[in-house]
Structures are given as C-alpha cells and as structure tokens.
Amino acid sequence: MVKTMDYTHLGRTGLTVSRLCLGTMNFGPQTDESTSYSIMDSAHEYGVNFFDTANGYGGSKGKGATETILGNYFAQGGGRREKTVLATKVYGDMDEWPNNGKLSALNIRRALDASLKRLQTDYIDLYQFHHVDRATPWDEIWQALETAVAQGKVLYVGSSNFAGWHIAKAQEAAARRNFTGLVSEQSIYNLLKREVELEVLPAAQDYGLGVIPWSPLHGGLLGGVLKKEVQGVRRLEGRAAETLAEHREQIEAYESFADELGHEPGQLALAWLLHQPAVTAPIIGPRTQEQLDTAVKAMEISLDESALTKLDEIFPGHKPAPEDYAW
C-alpha cells in the first residue's frame, strides 16, 4: 500500500500541490482516451492533484489533442476539475499562420481562449510559458497576463525551459509593474542532466519559484534500461542509444546500487529528485496504469546522506555558479 501523498506549496504561493505531478504528454498519441481517464482517476485516488499539459501536445493525433482529452475527462463531472490543479503551456506554433505561436499579446489571448475551450474549463490554475520568447518584450507579455488574471482566466504564471537570467529578467520586469510574475519553473532535471544546478535552481530559489522537473528518468535511461535490454523488453535507438553508450558505465553502477538498496531504478531516480531542496514535484508521464503505480511508490523511499553521496559519486552534479568553476 502506498503511503498518503505528500503535499507542498508551489514556490512562494499558497497553492498546495502534490509532490508528484501527472504529465499528460502521452495521452492521445501513446495512450488512448479511456485509458487516459483511468490513469487520471487513479492519480486522484493516490492523492495526485497536480496535472500538467500543453496546448501543443497531441503528437500523431494533432496539436491540441491532449488538452481535448483532459477537457472530456473534466466534463464527466464528479469533482474531477475541482480536484485538479491544472497546468498548461503556451509558446509553440499551433500552425504555420503568423501570430499563432510565441508570446505576443495577440497569441497569448488567442491561445489561452483556445486552451480553455479544449479543456472545457473557465480558468487555468498555472499558465506556463513553454519557452522564452526573445523577440517579445516582457512589458507586453506581462500586460497580457495581467489582463488574463484580471479576467479570472489564469490564476498563476510559470515558465519552462528558462535560463537563470531569463527568470531574473522576467521577475524584475514583473516587479516594476507590481505583478506577481512567475511562481514556477519547469526544467529538465534528473541524475544524468544536472546543469540547472548551476544557475536555474539558485535563481528559482532566490525568487521563490517552485521547480517542476521534466524527464525525471531521462527518457527511460534511469528506469532500469540495462535490465530491460537483457530481458529483451526494450531496445533503444537513435539519440537514446547514443546517450546510453556514452553513460553505460554510470548506468550500470546506478542499477547495481538500486539493487543494493532494494529499489527499482526509476523509483530511485524520482526519490532522488524529491530529496532535492529546490524541487516541488517531478513530472511523471505514465503511458499505462502499471507505470503510474510504479512511479507513485517513489513516495515511500527515504534516502540517507550516504545514499545521496553515492548517487552524487555516480552522477556528479554542479555547485551553484560561480563556485562551480571559480574560487
């Protein structure tokens, strides 16, 4: 039996979110609609109240398809929308026509209304910039979001894939307008990919942003990939195979250490993130019910200092800049 879900505040806000966030990118292209409903219901049963999506998700089913699945799920009622802290994103081009992407005031207005329609809701809890827009001034972006907040369409604003200085620039621009600005940053962060420790995490902590790591298993490389390879369950191709070849010795040591601790590698990778002070909630992206059940068990794992030190030895991280590379 998995213990009760833990909760925390999202950054400096009063918003309470579960320590695991349900990522929905696979809903549609990898997971059919009925299975997606079942996974979301199970997530609620486990106490996961934080769901993440994006307007561009949908893959082979077309952009917007994943939001549509979530909207159909919420439309079933039963308190499904009310139980959910709903996060979606804006930035990616939805088609080839001008102004249907990026962070212009025009696209933010149109994209937000389109997301609300697909999601069958009248507000987004956390509206995230999927990428920094270097061509649009922050005063324009913040004015658009101030309007959305005043209209009750957006409650909180977050970023994704920002550098530390992007976070600083955004927050200083918001402060000049007496606006809350960003409350979260969603970055790639896992044992293999730790560059955010240089400047993104320090900036997020200093400005009071919650950190929501995506790809916590680095595309499955931290999910017991070598064991699955031996069992013939999984064969990696392309970039993933190249990354495995580059880090094979580390991953062998990691899987051996997971065995020594008595944990599944994927659960250990999630548990490590949950022990990092800047992290609010890693994003888990299950394609199946079994993957959800497995991921949630990471909540049961407590790592002592010796285990954390050993993981740092296998996968060396970074000190905050500039100490990482200067005296």
Side-chain angles (χ1 to χ4, degrees), residues 211-224:
V211 175
I212 311 167
W214 61 267
S215 196
L217 306 188
H218 205 65
L221 289 175
L222 296 169

Side-chain angles (χ1 to χ4, degrees), residues 4-267:
T4 304
M5 179 59 59
D6 291 334
Y7 297 91
T8 189
H9 286 146
L10 180 62
R12 66 191 185 283
T13 75
L15 182 66
T16 298
V17 295
S18 50
R19 295 284 337 263
L20 292 176
C21 177
L22 181 71
T24 63
M25 189 170 68
N26 291 316
F27 293 175
Q30 302 288 331
T31 306
D32 64 38
E33 190 154 342
S34 62
T35 304
S36 299
Y37 294 170
S38 176
I39 289 173
M40 288 187 277
D41 278 339
S42 292
H44 278 158
E45 289 170 11
Y46 279 126
V48 176
N49 75 333
F50 194 13
F51 291 9
D52 176 76
T53 192
N55 64 343
Y57 289 171
S60 60
K61 301 296 183 181
K63 295 179 179 181
T66 301
E67 282 190 336
T68 298
I69 288 173
L70 267 71
N72 292 341
Y73 170 75
F74 294 139
Q76 296 178 66
R80 288 175 170 85
R81 174 65 183 95
E82 292 76 12
K83 291 176 183 175
T84 304
V85 174
L86 176 60
T88 193
K89 309 183 194 76
V90 58
Y91 176 86
D93 294 337
M94 295 299 282
D95 58 38
E96 296 179 359
W97 196 250
N99 298 311
N100 283 350
K102 311 300 187 293
L103 301 180
S104 69
L106 177 58
N107 184 56
I108 287 172
R109 173 176 174 158
R110 287 175 174 171
L112 174 58
D113 285 345
S115 284
L116 291 170
K117 186 175 181 180
R118 286 189 293 266
L119 290 163
Q120 300 189 50
T121 186
D122 55 7
Y123 70 99
I124 304 297
D125 297 281
L126 178 63
Y127 200 47
Q128 302 162 108
F129 307 131
H130 213 159
H131 197 279
V132 65
D133 184 349
R134 298 178 177 89
T136 305
W138 275 107
D139 278 338
E140 177 180 347
I141 295 169
W142 285 138
Q143 184 176 43
L145 265 299
E146 287 163 13
T147 299
V149 169
Q151 292 172 334
K153 295 178 179 179
V154 168
L155 301 185
Y156 302 93
V157 185
S159 58
S160 182
N161 306 305
F162 274 33
W165 73 274
H166 295 143
I167 292 171
K169 190 172 183 180
Q171 294 306 77
E172 294 307 317
R176 290 193 297 270
R177 304 177 65 89
N178 294 314
F179 187 60
T180 305
L182 304 172
V183 303
S184 62
E185 160 60 19
Q186 188 176 133
S187 286
I188 185 169
Y189 186 30
N190 56 56
L191 281 163
L192 268 169
K193 197 76 174 167
R194 298 179 61 169
E195 289 87 348
V196 290
E197 294 171 349
L198 283 163
E199 300 202 25
V200 176
L201 300 191
Q205 289 179 290
D206 192 69
Y207 282 103
L209 276 62
V211 175
I212 311 167
W214 61 267
S215 196
L217 306 188
H218 205 65
L221 289 175
L222 296 169
V225 66
L226 295 180
K227 185 185 297 183
K228 292 173 184 175
E229 194 176 65
V230 169
Q231 296 170 345
V233 175
R234 181 169 189 168
R235 290 284 178 196
L236 297 180
E237 298 177 353
R239 187 183 299 176
E242 292 172 9
T243 306
L244 174 58
E246 181 184 351
H247 296 283
R248 193 175 192 93
E249 190 173 322
Q250 287 174 288
I251 293 171
E252 284 176 349
Y254 172 67
E255 292 192 13
S256 293
F257 185 53
D259 283 342
E260 182 183 324
L261 293 176
H263 302 309
E264 290 295 322
Q267 294 167 357

